Amino acid sequence: FAFYFVAYGLLARSSFAVQLGNHAAPLVFGALAGWAMWIPTYPADIVKTLVQVQDSKNKMMGPMQITAKLYRSGGVKAFFDGLEPKLVRAAVKHAATFWVYEIVMNMLRPISV
């Protein structure tokens, strides 16, 4: 989650936040933060999923064996297979998450007179 919160925090403090405004900025930056989280971690997620769905009737492979087999079968591209739908889902989910977060935080902040 480090990529996630760091990306959102940096974007929220950038000059783009002022240009987008209070309502659009959390949506755009939340979507980008979701992408910043998924893109670098997706290869590990692919390997984890392949470890979990192995058929127990066959010889079980460890993460390193699966990584090597995946690379031999499709190169680096194989580690990013199916990333596009995940990014679409992440954009919507994380945009909504940070939009609601900002609304709640604004409600909880004391009103300055």
Side-chain angles (χ1 to χ4, degrees):
F1 288 105
F3 295 115
Y4 184 57
F5 292 110
V6 169
Y8 183 79
L10 290 172
L11 289 167
R13 289 169 185 77
S14 72
S15 62
F16 296 117
V18 175
Q19 294 171 343
L20 288 172
N22 290 342
H23 298 294
L27 293 169
V28 172
F29 299 156
L32 293 173
W35 290 352
M37 181 183 73
W38 272 108
I39 291 170
T41 60
Y42 195 72
D45 190 61
I46 290 286
V47 172
K48 175 214 42 126
T49 301
L50 292 174
V51 167
Q52 291 174 335
V53 299
Q54 292 183 80
D55 184 5
S56 61
K57 294 176 184 173
N58 297 326
K59 181 182 174 198
M60 301 292 280
M61 293 190 294
M64 295 301 288
Q65 293 167 310
I66 288 177
T67 300
K69 182 179 178 183
L70 192 59
Y71 183 77
R72 281 192 305 274
S73 70
V76 173
K77 186 179 178 197
F79 292 95
F80 293 94
D81 188 35
L83 179 62
E84 295 86 357
K86 184 78 77 170
L87 291 180
V88 171
R89 184 190 71 161
V92 173
K93 174 186 174 189
H94 299 295
T97 297
F98 278 108
W99 185 68
V100 170
Y101 167 79
E102 291 295 344
I103 289 171
V104 171
M105 291 305 293
N106 286 331
M107 290 172 36
L108 294 175
R109 287 187 186 105
I111 301 172
S112 36
V113 180

